[in-house]
Every structure is written in structure tokens, then in C-alpha cells.
Amino acid sequence: MADQTAANGESTIRYDFRAVEARWQQRWEAAGAFTVVEDPARPKYYVLEMFPYPSGRIHIGHVRNYTLGDLVARYKHALGFNVLHPMGWDAFGLPAENAAIERGVHPARWTWENIATMRGQLRGMGLSYDWQREITTCAPDYYRHEQKMFLDFLDAGLAYRRESWVNWDPVEDTVLANEQVIDGRGWRSGALVEKRLLSQWFLRITAYAEDLLAATAQLERWPERVRLMQHNWIGRSEGALIRFPVSGRDETLEVFTTRHDTLFGASFCAIAANHPLAADLAARDPELAGFVAECNRMSTSEAEIERAEKRGYDTGLVALHPFVDGLELPIYVANFVLMEYGTGAIFGCPAHDQRDLEFARAYDLPVLPVVLPPDADAGGFAIGDEAWTGPGSIYNSRFLDGLSIDGAKEAMSLRLEQTGHGARSVTWRLRDWGVSRQRYWGCPIPVIHCPACGVVPVPDSDLPVTLPDDVEFGEPGNPLDRHPTWKHTSCPACGGAATRETDTFDTFFESSWYFARFCDLAEDSAFGREAARYWLPVDQYIGGIEHAVLHLLYSRFFTRALRRSGYLDIDEPFAGLMTQGMVCHETYRDGSGWLFPDQVRRQSDGTVVTVDGGTPVEVGRVEKMSKSRRNVIDPEAIIASYGADTARLFMLSDSPPERDLEWTEAGIEGAFRYLNRLWRSVVELACVAPPHGSPRPGRISAEAQELERRIHKTIRAVGESVERWRFNSSVAFIRELSNALAAAPLSGPGEAWMVRHGYEILLRLIEPMTPHIAEELWERLGGEGMLRLVAWPSFDEELVADELVSIAVQVNGRLRGTIHAPRDSSEEAVRQSALEVSNVQRYLDGAEPRRIIVVPNRVVNLVV
RNA sequence: GCGGACGUGGUGAAACCGGUAGACACGACAGACUUAAAAUCUGUUUCGCAUGCGCGAGUGCGGGUUCGAGUCCCGCCGUCCGCACCA
């Protein structure tokens, strides 16, 4: 039926992208063109784009991300790889609960409706996904498997429970995420947020800290900056633990330091506000308790900490210096010491640490320099407003005197170990991953709390633990906890009355293993081991830089944990990673605030006014598209007015993938015009050129032969630029070929044949970018079968190398002329013709060149 | 503060190994077609001077290495990103 429409005159000439795109999407589906099965006989390639959160509609960042992935998937498929290219939904999360509270929609219904909408939008883009492998993380057939994983991690000692601080909103009676705390207050209630200790589940990611760090160096196909960010996040520090006796108490104060070389410059100790010693003292000291409470209030927001001055509270206790008899170091509770790092206690050496110096000046503590800068003199050197953190030799330090910093660290470590005052130690910035969330719309944590037996895992046979549907929102607290019956159960161990865990998993849990689930949607296991062995690791992962640390690090950890529990045979989930840049747009505002792009119009003189009122609009800088600045473009509107192929082409055209892309109306129109031109050229050619498969004519004009060289050079250039991820260059090469084909003569011997050949090649090259129009034009040119099934073209080495090359002639490195010579001419011949160029002779001015450098086929430089 | 990336026409950019800077586009200008506009097609478009071929300058700024530097090295300026009272 569709073919008959295509055959009628009107639509033959006009590029009717709606009809074309709908037709090919149907055909691909009917043919199962993107369905994939494991095939050990063929090399595999797994392309994965980060799956979206179903927020309601796709945004332009998705369009870019998925266009990039589809190009890679289709290109690799054309090269003969067995390509796995799946898509799914990261479907648990806070926005669904917000919708429930704000609009009274059940999170499940809201989520599933959003998925339906967004799936339709993605289908409209013509992406080559195997939709039979679609996964949705909020479905019990997905999350049951991660409940099992958690129980396996529990067995392996990789999951444990301990108390941890959370942001507590006392009005809503609920835990807040950091992003829900704004200026120290709950985002909805406006109440001052408190810190509360709750028992929570953790995954022992720190057990793999060393391994995760070491392996980042092997991730060769990852962007350097992502590796660096992970490196910094894991944050390995080598140093020493030092135990200071505390005067008048039995316990010692344990301190971690990386500057044990400066121990003789210590003048105080400081502990974190929630250090056990501080808590102990605060119980009998209301003023200290007040200070501790104050520190707890500010510690969530980094900006707040930054602005805060360094403050402390003198506990009255003193620590005894391990090597200086009688030297007493006052112990402060200080707002700049973190309980989460090291031991939550430091010794302060003001002369060689800027924070310690500021603290010492504020509290009038001694500043004794122990590192002498290279050209300073021991008698005159003193610390002013800036601590000395550079190199130098140690002095004022007894057995360390005269040593370098590194030498002193080594000597001090030895002495600490010999005397029992301390030991070498390595500390990590990385902390264990807290996975408990006090929320409804997440995967239930499959354990039961029994008053007699304690924490008891839910037996495998009772999995999955599913969420109840009948929950109430809008009331304070966690709906699961409030539910009248759900949490009440019996203990699997003793049979007595018990309660379910009402916390759910952090949603990073689901995204930490979804890539493996795509390999095989098994019912009775998370994924089949054989399928995982065939497909994993992901060959190319593509997504936003915002996931550079957490999601990617958690997935790397999960893969190791799954290996330990016998699920997998690999360590690293993503062999190649590409982080794409953001999509940006100009911003507009008038007196009333930010304006949407479709509320403004650009006049012929370049000024911008509002569409309705004609009032002037201020054009702001180009920024990442965001709802708050209203500089957003709706992909659906773009696809409706230009088509998916145009949107895809523009996404690839102007900037390389890792760089930010500026969305412009002019840019999308340029892409649209190009596809229209291509359409017209091919449809018109189809009427005059010899049919597809006609034998190559015996006689071919010189122009047509030149065109053939151009065609083969384009095949090479597009292939190489795609391999190098320079898709903007690939588009440029294709457009160059288009220009050459449009300008080529058709009447001479073999010319029409060659132009048809050129367009057939061009369609094969452009198929990964704009697949619908490529398929349609391929068919109209009489191409055999679906273009999807046609292999990537190869080029002829002979045709790619020019017979005649142009060589630059320089005098003293400056361009003075150009000569043409047969490729690979002898140096002598090139030298001779260079000297004959009249302009060159002018510059030589009769002088004999002192030296002549010949770079074959490129350049001759005459030095005088 | 620490770490990193980047800086090329009016704009997005290209130049892969040090070898003819500005491919391909967008925009602008001129012309063709048209009663007219849009669309389409053709041409010009780094800057300055000449405007005929030419001459000079030019890849953030200053220096260096080299026959030759957008590319390598040193110093500076600027923009963006990440991390951070991390002991």
C-alpha cells in the first residue's frame, strides 16, 4: 500500500518525511530488522546508551545521546558485527513520588504512562533498538533479581548494616536527599533540617577501593577526565596513624596524618563534632553540646562550609606529644574536621598547613616551623599569614633534623612503629555506599526484622518482595512504614511475629547491573551466564558526563561484587566510554523574566522581540538547556516539523560529540534543506540513470573517472572519521560528495552510471545517520533489499591515491608557489620544478638555496 | 586552593604524525528565476592595502625549539569543568 502512495507523482517529488519515516519504521518492525540473538560465529559488538528516567517526555539531551548510539550501532552492524543495542527505563525514583503528592497520581501509573509516551517518542526517532529486550526496573521481574543479588552480597560480607547520619525534616517526618535540602531547610516544608542517626544498609565498595583505583589506569577507551575524576573520588592517601595519650583519661586519641614529618611542629589537636570523644564530653557540657549541634547543622552544604570561618571549642583536655616529654597539645572540637575522613581527628601543625594556621591565629596557639624552605635561613625564617607547604629540609625536629620531607616521613613511620605510638596507614576518601532510602517508589530491601532472631534474609522462595499498591501519599513519613498490613509478617527462622524492612534501595542499585540484564531477560535468573559471557563487556557506552563518578563507579563495583558472587566472569562492565557534551541554546528575557524560544522572534535587523507584543527582548548567553531558564526545545515539535532524520543529522553535524552543541533554528533548517536537496537529486536521477545493477560501461569520461576517485576517497574519509568519533567531519565529507555529484555532468560516456553509483554509495554512508531517507531513496534507485542489510562499502586503494599531487613550494618556510607533479616523483624532479617557479625565482633573487627540504608529495622548502 | 580541559573568520567548526590554516556548514552580500515574496540555483565572503595576477598580516598574549609551529617547550592572560576545610 505504502508503495502505491510513493509511486504517485506529487509525493515522488516532495520529500514527505512523515510518510517516509512512518513507512520505514513499520517495515523494520515487520521484518524484525533489529532483533538480535547470540551468534558465536560472528564478532559481537554491544552498544549501550544510558537508559532514561521516565520523567514524561524525552528531552533534547536524549535525542543527542541516542542519535550517537544509533550511528555507532548501525555502522558496526554494516561492518558485519552482531550488534546488541537495547533500551530500557530507569523507572524507580523520587519524581514519581512527588507526582503522587502533588497530583494524586499513583507512582506506578505515572511511571508506566510516561514510559508509554517516551517509548513512542523514541520509536519515532527510528532508533535500531531490539525492543524485545526492553527492561523496566520498577517491574518485579526486574527487581526480584537484585533482591537476590543483595542477599548474595550479604552472604559474601559485601552488605552490612550500621548507623548513619541522615537529613531529617521534622515537619514532614521524613528523610531528605541532599538535593532536597535548600539553605539548610526542607524544600517543601521549609523546616530547619536536623541530623539524625538511622540504622541503614551499606555496600562495602571500600573493599574494592585499591582495585577500582588501580584498574582505572587500564580503561584505555575512557575519557581521561572521567578516569581522573574517579581517581580523585577514590582518593588514596598514604600517611600514618598516631596515637596520642590523653591526659587524665585511659583512652588515646587516634589521628591520621599525611604530614607525620611535621609532628614536632604540632601545637594542638582537633576532633570532629560527631567524634565519640566529643559526644562523650558534650553529654556533660551544654555549651559544647550547643557547638556540636551548630556544626551538625552546617555540614551538609559545601558552600556553607566554605564561607564559614574556622572555629573550635576548647574541650579542656590535652593530648601528650609522643616524643616531647611534657608538651601538652590542647584538644579542640573544630568545625573543619570531618568524621567521615580518616579517624575524625587531626593534629594541627600551623606552620605547614593553611587551615591549621588560620585556626592557630584565631585561638592564639604557637606556630613553630619545622620545614625550612630551600633558600631560607634557619635563624630568620618565620611564618606570616601563609603556611609553608612546599619542599624543604626538616629542622627543630630532633631525630628528623636535616632530612627531606619524604625522608622524614619514612623515619617517623619507623619510629612510630618501633615505639608503638603509631603505624603506617592508607586512608581513602571513598566511603561505603549507603543504599537505604526511606521511600516508597524503590526496590524493597528483602530482609525481615525479628525481635528474637534479629535481621533475617527473606528466603529465595519468597522473592520477590513486591511493593503494595494501596498506599497513601501526602502524609508525613514513609508510606511503606505507615501501611497497615504490608510490613507485618512472620520470621522465616522462628515463625514468630516480625516486620519487614521498610527501606528501599537507592535507585543507583538498578542502574548498576542493567547492562547485564540486557544480555538475556531470563525468568529464573538475573541473566544467563552464557549470554553474559558472549555480550559483555559493553563495547561502547555513551552518556552524560554527570554520571562520571557515581553511576559509573557503582557499576564497576557491582560488576566485581557480582563476579565474587558467581554471576559474571568480568571485572569491568564498560570497555569503551564516550561522554557527550550538553545541548545548549541562547537565553531570552524581558521585563517579566525568562522567555521560551518560541515566544520570541528575530527581526531582519537582527534585534529580538516578543512574538505577541513586539517588545524588545534581551538575548543572554548560550547555556545548557534547562527548564528554569526556559531555553528549551521540545524534540517532539522538531520531529513533527522537520522529521527524525533532520533532527538526527543536525545533532551530528556541527560539533564533535564530546563538545557542547548549540541548538540553532538556522542549523536545523540547514540540515532540513540538505535532505530536501538530496531527495530531489536522487529522485530526479532515478528517472535518467541506467538501472541499478547495470554493468559498468566500457568507456568512461575523464570527469567520471575523477568522480570515481572522489567517491572512493569519501568512503575512506567517512569510515576513518566515524572510527575517530568525528561525526561532524563525516557529515562534511558526505556533503562534499553530494556537491560533487550535483555538479557532475551526465551526458558523457559512463557519466550517468557513475553518478548513480555515487549516490548509491552516499546512501550507504549516510544510513547510520539518517536511516529513513536512506532506505527510501535506496529503494527508489532500485537498490536490492533493505539498505539495513547492505554491508558498509569498501574503497579501492588505487583510486584513493591521487595520480597528480599538488606540492607547496616554500622559501624560508613561507608559501611562494605550488607545483603539480606525479605522485611519488623523485626528490630531484620535484626540486627542479620548484626552482623553475617564477615567483620562487623572484624570492631567491639569484641566490643558490643553501638547503632544500623535500617532503614527498607535500612540500618543498628552499632555505637561503 | 588543588586538578583538568579549552582558546582558530561575523558564527559552529576542520586541519589525524610538526609540512599549502579556515574543509563542511550557518550567516551576510551580489546575481539568476519570479509581477512580487518564499523556495531554489550561481557567485563572493580571514583581515588590511591594492581590488588585474598581487603585497602584507594572521590560530588568546610574550618568548623558545625547528628548514618549517594552530600542532612541541617555557611564561602569562582568559573561559569552562571537576574536587575540596580530605589532615
Side-chain angles (χ1 to χ4, degrees):
Chain A
M1 284 298 157
D3 294 28
Q4 283 166 11
T5 340
N8 105 23
E10 178 58 24
S11 75
T12 302
I13 277 304
R14 217 179 90 244
Y15 169 40
D16 182 355
F17 60 84
R18 284 187 194 90
V20 168
E21 293 181 357
R23 173 157 60 241
W24 286 98
Q25 283 162 21
Q26 280 163 21
R27 289 211 186 163
W28 290 324
E29 192 177 349
F34 309 131
T35 305
V36 63
V37 290
E38 293 77 62
D39 178 2
R42 286 164 68 205
K44 68 94 182 179
Y45 198 89
Y46 185 177
V47 190
L48 182 65
E49 298 110 58
M50 291 181 182
F51 67 163
Y53 178 77
S55 55
R57 309 173 67 76
I58 59 169
H59 58 70
I60 206 81
H62 295 130
V63 174
R64 190 175 196 198
N65 192 173
Y66 303 153
T67 297
L68 293 169
D70 203 45
L71 163 49
V72 173
R74 286 175 179 268
Y75 169 72
K76 291 289 179 182
H77 180 268
L79 283 181
F81 286 93
N82 193 27
V83 173
L84 175 58
H85 188 215
M87 185 40 74
W89 310 97
D90 190 13
F92 274 135
L94 213 43
E97 288 193 42
N98 294 338
I101 295 166
E102 281 157 20
R103 279 177 268 164
V105 198
H106 192 280
R109 194 177 141 203
W110 183 84
T111 303
W112 285 104
E113 284 176 2
N114 287 347
I115 288 172
T117 305
M118 292 172 73
R119 187 192 298 114
Q121 292 182 307
L122 293 189
R123 280 178 180 273
M125 283 183 63
L127 302 162
S128 63
Y129 295 132
D130 180 357
W131 284 106
Q132 292 180 25
R133 293 177 187 253
E134 177 180 4
I135 60 181
T136 307
T137 61
C138 66
D141 65 5
Y142 181 83
Y143 69 69
R144 67 179 299 161
H145 304 295
E146 72 187 34
Q147 291 180 337
K148 177 76 170 81
M149 285 172 192
F150 177 78
L151 297 177
D152 289 336
F153 293 166
L154 207 52
D155 274 348
L158 289 170
Y160 66 96
R161 192 170 147 87
R162 71 165 157 85
E163 296 217 304
S164 168
W165 296 95
V166 295
N167 302 309
W168 183 264
D169 184 323
V171 170
E172 300 226 341
D173 223 12
T174 187
V175 176
L176 299 179
N178 278 332
E179 64 175 19
Q180 297 174 317
V181 181
I182 295 156
D183 294 331
R185 292 174 179 274
W187 65 336
R188 238 193 297 267
S189 70
L192 271 178
V193 170
E194 299 168 3
K195 291 269 166 178
R196 260 206 195 180
L197 264 182
L198 284 188
S199 250
Q200 307 204 64
W201 289 99
F202 284 82
L203 294 188
R204 211 178 295 277
I205 189 171
T206 55
Y208 291 93
E210 191 86 63
D211 184 32
L212 287 167
L213 182 69
T216 49
Q218 263 73 63
L219 296 170
E220 282 162 21
R221 287 174 47 232
W222 279 42
E224 185 57 41
R225 62 173 175 154
V226 174
R227 282 153 58 176
L228 190 73
M229 280 159 78
Q230 296 218 344
H231 185 99
N232 292 338
W233 187 266
I234 295 168
R236 184 179 196 274
S237 307
E238 268 181 48
L241 277 177
I242 304 175
R243 283 181 286 276
F244 290 81
V246 180
S247 181
R249 291 175 76 105
D250 289 339
E251 66 212 274
T252 57
L253 183 65
E254 196 165 67
V255 157
F256 174 76
T257 181
T258 55
R259 290 304 303 271
H260 35 309
D261 55 311
T262 64
L263 184 56
F264 288 102
S267 59
F268 66 96
C269 285
I271 60 176
N274 33 24
H275 191 277
L277 180 58
D280 188 28
L281 296 170
R284 293 182 306 271
D285 182 346
E287 204 183 329
L288 175 56
F291 182 73
V292 166
E294 207 179 312
C295 292
N296 276 339
R297 258 203 301 283
M298 62 169 253
S299 62
T300 37
S301 153
E302 289 163 11
E304 204 175 329
I305 289 170
E306 179 132 1
R307 268 183 264 117
E309 60 172 321
K310 282 148 201 66
R311 292 175 52 218
Y313 181 93
D314 190 345
T315 62
L317 292 176
V318 294
L320 304 175
H321 194 287
F323 300 116
V324 185
D325 283 344
L327 179 54
E328 297 189 333
L329 308 172
I331 300 176
Y332 288 81
V333 175
N335 64 355
F336 63 93
V337 178
L338 297 177
M339 192 59 218
E340 292 79 13
Y341 189 80
T343 60
I346 64 161
F347 78 78
C349 175
H352 305 293
D353 183 287
Q354 192 59 32
R355 288 155 306 159
D356 294 351
L357 182 64
E358 285 170 31
F359 191 80
R361 296 295 188 215
Y363 292 91
D364 209 17
L365 295 160
V367 178
L368 174 67
V370 291
V371 180
L372 188 64
D375 37 0
D377 131 72
F381 181 65
I383 299 291
D385 290 336
E386 279 186 35
W388 175 255
T389 53
S393 62
I394 306 294
Y395 71 133
N396 294 333
S397 295
R398 306 197 179 179
F399 57 88
L400 301 179
D401 282 353
L403 295 173
S404 67
I405 288 174
D406 285 344
K409 283 180 180 174
E410 181 57 30
M412 179 57 83
S413 297
L414 270 175
R415 185 66 69 104
L416 286 168
E417 281 162 1
Q418 283 162 3
T419 57
H421 287 299
R424 281 169 231 264
S425 175
V426 172
T427 288
W428 305 85
R429 183 186 178 279
L430 183 68
R431 297 168 209 159
D432 275 339
W433 173 17
V435 294
S436 292
R437 296 290 182 271
Q438 295 68 40
R439 320 212 166 273
Y440 167 73
W441 196 234
C443 170
I445 298 178
V447 296
I448 290 165
H449 298 278
C450 169
C453 314
V455 172
V456 183
V458 173
D460 288 0
S461 55
D462 291 349
L463 294 181
V465 177
T466 55
L467 291 168
D469 279 333
D470 51 334
V471 282
E472 293 290 326
F473 290 92
E475 290 169 52
N478 177 356
L480 286 181
D481 203 32
R482 273 201 322 266
H483 192 277
T485 56
W486 183 79
K487 72 174 173 184
H488 301 292
T489 184
S490 55
C491 172
C494 69
T499 56
R500 292 190 185 282
E501 171 69 66
T502 59
D503 285 356
T504 52
F505 285 132
D506 176 8
T507 57
F508 276 120
F509 212 102
E510 283 84 57
S511 56
S512 293
W513 68 282
Y514 79 112
F515 50 87
R517 178 73 179 166
F518 280 132
C519 297
D520 174 28
L521 277 66
E523 268 179 48
D524 52 352
S525 68
F527 43 85
R529 217 187 151 96
E530 278 312 308
R533 192 171 281 149
Y534 178 76
W535 289 116
L536 292 176
V538 174
D539 295 280
Q540 188 61 56
Y541 197 32
I542 307 169
I545 188 72
E546 66 272 20
H547 291 115
V549 177
L550 293 182
H551 161 60
L552 290 168
L553 193 62
Y554 291 152
S555 298
R556 295 181 61 211
F557 157 66
F558 235 77
T559 304
R560 286 164 169 77
L562 288 174
R563 179 182 181 135
R564 178 138 135 201
S565 296
Y567 285 76
L568 280 173
D569 308 302
I570 55 163
D571 285 332
E572 290 293 342
F574 312 120
L577 174 69
M578 161 76 206
T579 51
Q580 99 245 12
M582 297 179 299
V583 182
C584 303
H585 196 281
E586 273 182 336
T587 48
Y588 309 103
R589 62 194 309 178
D590 68 358
S592 60
W594 299 104
L595 297 170
F596 289 104
D598 56 10
Q599 293 178 300
V600 307
R601 130 179 93 83
R602 185 162 257 121
Q603 303 183 112
S604 51
D605 63 354
T607 59
V608 176
V609 295
T610 54
V611 170
D612 44 355
T615 53
V617 170
E618 186 193 332
V619 178
R621 35 183 277 172
V622 174
E623 290 187 67
K624 180 191 176 173
M625 285 191 191
S626 72
K627 282 188 186 135
S628 62
R629 299 226 193 280
R630 298 198 165 180
N631 58 339
V632 287
I633 296 291
D634 178 17
E636 198 165 286
I638 295 300
I639 289 170
S641 34
Y642 298 99
D645 282 338
T646 294
R648 294 170 58 130
L649 183 62
F650 176 57
M651 285 285 127
L652 300 167
S653 293
D654 272 0
S655 299
E658 69 278 7
R659 211 177 302 180
D660 286 353
L661 173 81
E662 188 191 344
W663 180 279
T664 59
E665 196 67 17
I668 188 83
E669 279 180 359
F672 188 57
R673 275 203 301 270
Y674 171 71
L675 291 185
N676 275 284
R677 219 178 310 141
L678 178 65
W679 176 273
R680 269 196 311 275
S681 310
V682 173
V683 167
E684 280 164 19
L685 178 80
C687 306
V688 300
H692 173 83
S694 308
R696 182 189 172 94
R699 261 188 72 220
I700 291 182
S701 74
E703 282 87 352
Q705 284 178 36
E706 194 45 44
L707 183 60
E708 186 169 32
R709 292 183 176 278
R710 172 76 65 125
I711 292 166
H712 281 254
K713 282 182 194 171
T714 304
I715 297 172
R716 180 175 68 172
V718 171
E720 283 178 359
S721 55
V722 166
E723 293 286 348
R724 282 168 45 226
W725 286 79
R726 306 310 285 245
F727 306 141
N728 52 331
S729 295
S730 315
V731 172
F733 295 131
I734 288 174
R735 292 182 79 138
E736 267 184 313
L737 179 58
S738 287
N739 294 343
L741 290 169
L746 287 170
S747 51
E751 287 176 348
W753 186 92
M754 194 60 77
V755 170
R756 147 187 283 283
H757 175 60
Y759 276 113
E760 286 185 356
I761 294 291
L762 189 147
L763 294 174
R764 288 159 72 184
L765 297 177
I766 209 173
E767 185 267 347
M769 305 176 179
T770 58
H772 311 87
I773 192 174
E775 289 277 12
E776 178 73 20
L777 292 178
W778 175 258
E779 187 180 77
R780 282 171 186 248
L781 270 184
E784 281 161 36
M786 211 177 254
L787 188 49
R788 161 77 180 168
L789 302 173
V790 176
W792 190 252
S794 54
F795 59 88
D796 182 336
E797 292 282 356
E798 277 299 307
L799 291 172
V800 159
D802 282 304
E803 288 174 322
L804 204 64
V805 293
S806 77
I807 297 175
V809 183
Q810 301 174 334
V811 179
N812 289 334
R814 308 186 72 93
L815 182 68
R816 297 303 178 193
T818 316
I819 56 173
H820 297 275
R823 177 161 50 91
D824 300 328
S825 299
S826 72
E827 271 197 31
E828 183 51 37
V830 170
R831 196 177 299 158
Q832 273 314 316
S833 22
L835 285 168
E836 283 160 18
V837 177
S838 62
N839 200 32
V840 169
Q841 288 181 339
R842 230 180 76 215
Y843 278 92
L844 290 177
D845 199 20
E848 196 59 25
R850 219 180 42 187
R851 202 177 149 193
I852 300 179
I853 289 120
V854 178
V855 181
N857 300 325
R858 298 213 87 134
V859 79
V860 185
N861 193 8
L862 309 164
V863 187
V864 290

